[in-house]
């Protein structure tokens, strides 16, 4: 094994890490190898990576400038401990890859941090501000948004309507409105312009009047990321943005994730493909059985014994099944039906006359 590049020395969690296996091995902060053909985000700021260079590879380690700080968060379901995170800090302006075997608690942690679920214990902060008691739309309004492992693009709304969803009215308790917080009726025109700008950026503008249900899985992921950006977030949590995306769109999605960092956002993303994780993460957090079992730069992770053990015999998340996708969409349509009864303006436009088509 090579000398540990970590100047503070490896720790219990990082003791198996040697830094081998990545282009940056032995030279913390050096750019990692990019897949060939890479075009976008080739020259990321890497500010976070530089800032993290001297941070020990220890679970719960303090970061130089944390945007998110988690303390003692636990969530149990019956007898199962889905999340038990003692302390976790997420560096501002970086891309933090959150990895771990299926059932590790990654999605549940996202749910908790963004107000979509309530913990049994614990607290967490964004920029020093406690978020624990806030509803999703309040969390989002403060600048912390997320996307979903199972895409929430609503199939029988148009692409543009999906973007504007929640942009009208302030009944923020609604799950769907929480996805695009902080915008109101008087801003309708501005919202539309902003939505179109984002759709152009994600190359979905030509599809603005298409039903989201006609998009490919990858395009839905792009739509969901575009929608998350409607509220100018500061922290974006992406739950498996690449899952189910065909290879042609993967590079494009990756580029968009890097672009978020370029714009100064803090990104936390769940991903299973270690090549992808190595490529774009400034820091990697590994969960297993609800706990953080390792953290460090990407090159520290693959040879970490605790990580290897956690993955041995563990199954990676299976790709979404058609049934799962349909269940989510059916639930979404029930939500929309309720919103329509409530008179949600965004749903009243020419293009919704095809409702019931699905
Ligand atoms: N609503 C729920 N009810 C019961 N168990 C749940 C619920 N949500 C998640 N779990 C369980 O919590 C654990 C963590 O799940 P999850 O956060 O989805 O893991 P990951 O996203 O890392 O695959 C799993 O064992 C899962 O079955
Ligand atoms: Mg998950």
């Amino acid at each position: 094994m090579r000398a540990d590049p970590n100047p503070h020395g490896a720790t219990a969690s990082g003791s198996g890490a040697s830094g081998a296996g990545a282009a940056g091995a032995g030279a913390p902060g050096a750019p990692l190898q990019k897949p060939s053909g890479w075009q976008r985000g080739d020259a990321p700021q890497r500010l976070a990576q530089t800032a993290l260079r001297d941070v020990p590879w220890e679970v719960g380690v303090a970061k130089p400038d944390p945007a998110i700080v988690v303390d003692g968060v636990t969530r149990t379901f019956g007898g199962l401990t889905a999340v038990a995170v003692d302390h976790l800090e997420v560096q501002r302006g970086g891309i933090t890859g959150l990895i771990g075997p299926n059932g590790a608690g990654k999605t549940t942690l996202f749910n908790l941090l963004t107000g979509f679920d309530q913990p049994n214990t614990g607290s967490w902060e964004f920029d020093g501000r406690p978020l624990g008691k806030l509803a999703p739309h309040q969390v989002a309004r403060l600048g912390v948004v997320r996307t979903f492992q199972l895409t929430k693009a609503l199939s029988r709304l148009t692409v543009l309507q999906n973007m504007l969803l929640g942009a009208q009215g302030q009944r923020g308790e609604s799950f769907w409105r929480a996805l695009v917080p902080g915008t109101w009726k008087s801003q309708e025109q501005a919202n539309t312009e902003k939505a179109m700008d984002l759709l152009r950026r994600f190359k979905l503008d030509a599809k603005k009047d298409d039903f989201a249900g006609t998009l490919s899985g990858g395009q839905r992921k792009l739509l969901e990321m575009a929608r998350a950006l409607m509220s100018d977030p500061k922290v974006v949590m992406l739950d498996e943005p690449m899952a189910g995306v065909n290879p042609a769109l993967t590079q494009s999605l990756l580029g968009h994730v890097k672009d978020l960092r370029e714009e100064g956002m803090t990104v936390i993303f769940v991903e299973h493909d270690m090549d992808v994780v190595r490529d774009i993460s400034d820091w990697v957090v590994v969960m297993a059985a609800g706990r953080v079992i390792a953290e460090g730069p990407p090159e520290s992770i693959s040879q970490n014994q605790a990580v290897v053990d956690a993955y041995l015999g563990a199954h990676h998340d299976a790709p979404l099944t058609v049934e799962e996708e349909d269940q989510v969409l059916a639930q979404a349509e029930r939500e929309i039906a309720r919103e329509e009864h409530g008179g949600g303006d965004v749903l009243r436009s020419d293009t919704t006359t095809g409702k019931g088509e699905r």
Side-chain angles (χ1 to χ4, degrees):
M1 276 201 177
R2 284 178 223 184
D4 185 346
N6 180 1
H8 292 253
T11 64
S13 63
S15 57
S18 74
L32 301 178
Q33 217 153 22
K34 309 272 187 346
S36 57
W38 187 251
Q39 289 181 348
R40 307 185 57 182
D42 260 341
Q45 293 174 351
R46 294 290 181 195
L47 291 176
Q49 198 179 67
T50 304
L52 290 164
R53 194 167 48 194
D54 295 334
V55 173
W57 306 350
E58 280 171 32
V59 171
V61 68
K63 305 299 185 306
D65 181 19
I68 300 273
V69 178
V70 180
D71 265 307
V73 168
T74 61
R75 174 66 162 118
T76 58
F77 295 108
L80 175 95
T81 300
V83 168
V85 173
D86 289 338
H87 189 80
L88 177 65
E89 299 190 4
V90 177
Q91 175 69 14
R92 187 188 319 282
I95 298 180
T96 296
L98 179 60
I99 67 171
N102 193 18
K106 307 176 297 292
T107 295
T108 304
L109 181 62
F110 273 16
N111 288 343
L112 295 170
L113 297 183
T114 51
F116 285 89
D117 189 16
Q118 295 304 310
N120 298 84
T121 66
S123 60
W124 58 101
E125 296 177 349
F126 163 58
D127 276 351
R129 182 170 179 156
L131 298 183
K133 297 284 186 281
L134 303 182
H137 71 281
Q138 295 171 312
V139 174
R141 214 167 276 164
L142 288 174
V144 180
V145 301
R146 54 89 57 92
T147 64
F148 292 85
Q149 183 170 351
L150 298 170
T151 175
K152 302 285 186 194
L154 302 183
S155 58
R156 68 182 179 78
L157 293 190
T158 68
V159 166
L160 182 57
Q161 286 169 336
N162 266 279
M163 292 292 286
L164 295 174
L165 189 62
Q168 309 205 8
Q170 293 177 60
R171 292 175 300 153
E173 67 278 8
S174 155
F175 178 89
W176 299 105
R177 284 172 199 284
L179 296 174
V180 185
T183 51
W184 16 86
K185 206 160 198 160
S186 62
Q187 297 178 339
E188 186 172 340
Q189 185 60 32
N191 286 340
T192 303
E193 281 168 19
K194 186 173 192 173
M196 286 309 300
D197 281 347
L198 282 165
L199 289 177
R200 269 188 289 276
R201 167 170 162 188
F202 285 82
K203 295 201 166 51
L204 290 170
D205 49 317
K207 302 198 172 282
K208 73 180 174 69
D209 294 323
D210 292 3
F211 288 108
T214 67
L215 299 180
S216 71
Q219 288 169 329
R220 284 193 207 185
K221 293 277 189 183
L222 287 172
L223 173 58
E224 190 163 347
M225 204 184 296
R227 182 170 56 188
L229 299 183
M230 281 294 286
S231 60
D232 298 320
K234 299 190 179 78
V235 177
V236 182
M237 302 189 194
L238 305 169
D239 200 349
E240 302 202 25
M242 323 295 176
V245 173
N246 83 45
L249 264 181
T250 305
Q251 287 297 317
S252 161
L253 257 163
L254 265 174
H256 286 299
V257 176
K258 290 184 177 182
D259 288 346
L260 303 183
R261 174 176 57 189
E262 292 293 303
E263 291 172 22
M265 287 177 227
T266 302
V267 179
I268 311 173
F269 84 112
V270 176
E271 172 57 41
H272 289 286
D273 185 331
M274 280 308 292
D275 289 336
V276 169
V277 170
R278 260 192 296 274
D279 175 28
I280 72 171
S281 306
D282 300 304
W283 194 258
V284 178
V285 172
V286 188
M287 286 182 77
R291 301 180 177 278
V292 177
I293 60 161
E295 8 174 342
E299 64 269 24
S300 74
I301 296 301
S302 53
Q303 304 207 357
N304 181 309
Q305 195 56 47
V307 177
V308 173
D309 290 347
Y311 274 94
L312 272 182
H315 298 286
H316 287 216
D317 281 358
L320 309 183
T321 64
V322 173
E323 290 72 24
E324 281 173 322
E325 188 90 354
D326 281 351
Q327 271 174 17
V328 169
L329 291 173
Q331 182 212 333
E333 288 180 1
R334 284 194 295 275
E335 285 275 346
I336 283 301
R338 269 201 292 280
E339 295 260 325
E340 279 175 331
H341 276 284
D345 287 350
V346 69
L347 301 171
R348 288 205 307 267
S349 89
D350 294 340
T351 43
T352 53
T353 51
K355 66 187 166 193
E357 277 183 353
R358 255 184 60 97

